[in-house]
Amino acid sequence: MSVSRIAIVAPDGTWTYGDLEEASRRVAGALRGETDDLNQARVAFLVPPGCRYAAVQRGIWRAGGVAVPLGLSHPPAELEYVVRDSAAAWVVGEAASRDVLAPIATAAGARFVTTDDLLRADLTVGPYTRERDLPHIGPTRRAMIVYTSGTTARPKGVVTTHANLGAQIAALVEAWGWTPTDRLLLVLPLHHVHGIVNGLGSALAVSATCEILPAFDAERVWERLASGEITVFTAVPTIYRRLIASWDAASPALRAARSAGARRARLMMSGSAALPVQTLERWREITGHTLLERYGMTEIGMALSNPLHGERRPGFVGTPLPGVDVRLVDESGAPAADGVPGELEVRGPGVFLEYWQRAEETRAALHDGWFRTGDVAVIERGAYRLLGRTSVDIIKSGGFKVSALEIEEALRQHPAIAECAVVGVGDPEWGERVSAAVELRPRATLTLDELRRWAQARLAPYKVPGALQVVPALPRNAMGKVVKPEVAALFDRSGSRRSIAGAEAPALQGDS
Ligand code: MLC
Ligand code: AMP
């Protein structure tokens, strides 16, 4: 790798690979202080996507620590949960977030340090900052914990080792033909794997250039695509929908310039949620690109992908990536018969190590090296098509995974709410909209605006319900259990169950 190549172009600067190497060494030296090795101590960090984010992430790794990225949009309650659950030794943040992060760190017994302080560390003092004094980081060490919502009430920390991350990235580099001449436009948050692994991690692994925008902004993305300089772009379906709306609203001259520039990219990808076929088709009309849709998950990185070269089938997520084993199993765990839908299981070197300090959940999710994804798929003419999920309580909104159980638990704290049920309801913008049906306490009232304002202090923005139904009684079965499909029907007059890429969900999905 040439140290003078441009690694990152971002709001906080333009850094070469040499700059990144030096900055991450400073971070490593400062975090280690007087110790030889952080020995897998957790370092939670809240740094906007950019050069400094990459320096902190790499610095944590070089010091022997475990990187725990925090969500920029998260309210203090969510940040505190992650800092405490991961038992972080350090919390790193920009000076501007000191007022929020320092008290969280103190309360959790962690030390707060600013990114500025880490980057100012003096490379000329102490033995700790010389390259040869940095600890040897073996591949089986824990590297990262990403928090993900699931079928437990609170998010779980997904622990990946250096070997896991290396394998996840190597598969993508090979399958998607990453080269040093690539220039990625990154607009995704960096507390989830789509941005961390498919975006930043892949670009840096091949010494390509990663160009980062401060946040998603359709006009700014089009400006960059129109330049013709971007070779790779990856996003979630909601983002493509917004880009299409922005293109549609532009003048004919601007449209032509945008389309011409975008055509010069070599690869545009979609994932994290089902890509509606109409979005794929419209994007192809506008840019000439058939979006490469792939399937992945925090616990495994990416597992299935349409091909780089060859036919990309709309509504399908392709075939296993290099080094990844995928199979479908029936409800008893036996391999599903040909052409029969089953739960997707994934095995390979990219599969995560464990849920952080949750041995029970880890055991339940992994058996004989196979990870149970909870997604239901079928193989048709040699490619996988996703049909839905085994749990009705997992919702995907704008590419973010959220747990109905977690939101219900939060909403039950609301003084006006006696009981509630949260469901995902099909939505053209978000894929699924987090929707809450509530029974109120006697004489209480509640509007959606009031509920959202209250919830915003407690939950990440994408977990805050976007729809509310106040009902005299939630639909329950004879056992008194809330019947989620009937709750969803309260919001969706057609009563249809959630479906992916237009397919009705099979019996495995939608259990209540
Ligand atoms: C923002 N809002 C959302 C939301 N994102 N509500 C529901 N779902 C979401 N995903 C809220 C905002 O807080 C705001 O609320 C209102 O919606 C409008 O906000 P906005 O400014 O228009 O939205 P924006 O901030 O631009 O975010 C939209 C987005 C973002 C699509 C850019 O959601 C996003 O970055 N999604 C990508 C998620 C991602 O990277 N997932 C990968 C997970 S890894 P209010 O009240 O203020 O109006 C994974 C594995 C894999 O899934 O396979 O990749
Ligand atoms: P997360 O747990 O946030 O990593 O999200 C992983 C989940 O996103 C998977 O279990 C799927 O349900 C969903 N997902 C990822 N890619 C796709 C895709 N291409 N189509 C449909 N769902 C997807």
Side-chain angles (χ1 to χ4, degrees), residues 185-262:
L185 181 64
L186 181 65
V187 299
L188 296 169
L190 287 178
H191 65 297
H192 282 299
V193 298
H194 194 159
I196 299 171
V197 171
N198 301 27
L200 187 66
S202 298
L204 297 187
V206 298
S207 306
T209 299
C210 181
E211 188 175 319
I212 301 178
L213 297 184
F216 171 68
D217 170 350
E219 301 305 304
R220 186 80 187 105
V221 169
W222 271 123
E223 245 172 62
R224 294 307 300 135
L225 293 179
S227 75
E229 292 165 4
I230 302 302
T231 69
V232 180
F233 185 65
T234 182
V236 300
T238 302
I239 286 181
Y240 285 107
R241 190 183 149 88
R242 289 194 183 180
L243 289 173
I244 290 167
S246 159
W247 190 93
D248 284 341
S251 68
L254 198 50
R255 285 181 186 182
R258 288 175 167 187
S259 294

Side-chain angles (χ1 to χ4, degrees), residues 148-152 156-159 295 297-300 325 327 329 333 343-348 351-356 358-375 390 394 401:
T148 184
S149 292
T151 47
T152 48
K156 302 187 287 267
V158 174
V159 180
Y295 160 86
M297 202 169 170
T298 307
E299 287 87 336
I300 57 173
D325 291 335
R327 69 178 187 186
V329 298
E343 181 177 355
L344 261 171
E345 293 195 338
V346 177
R347 187 174 65 176
V351 172
F352 75 127
L353 178 69
E354 61 188 356
Y355 291 117
W356 177 248
R358 287 175 184 260
E360 195 52 43
E361 282 89 341
T362 306
R363 263 195 302 278
L366 289 166
H367 62 113
D368 306 329
W370 289 99
F371 170 67
R372 303 192 161 108
T373 62
D375 289 305
T390 55
I394 302 285
K401 187 174 184 179

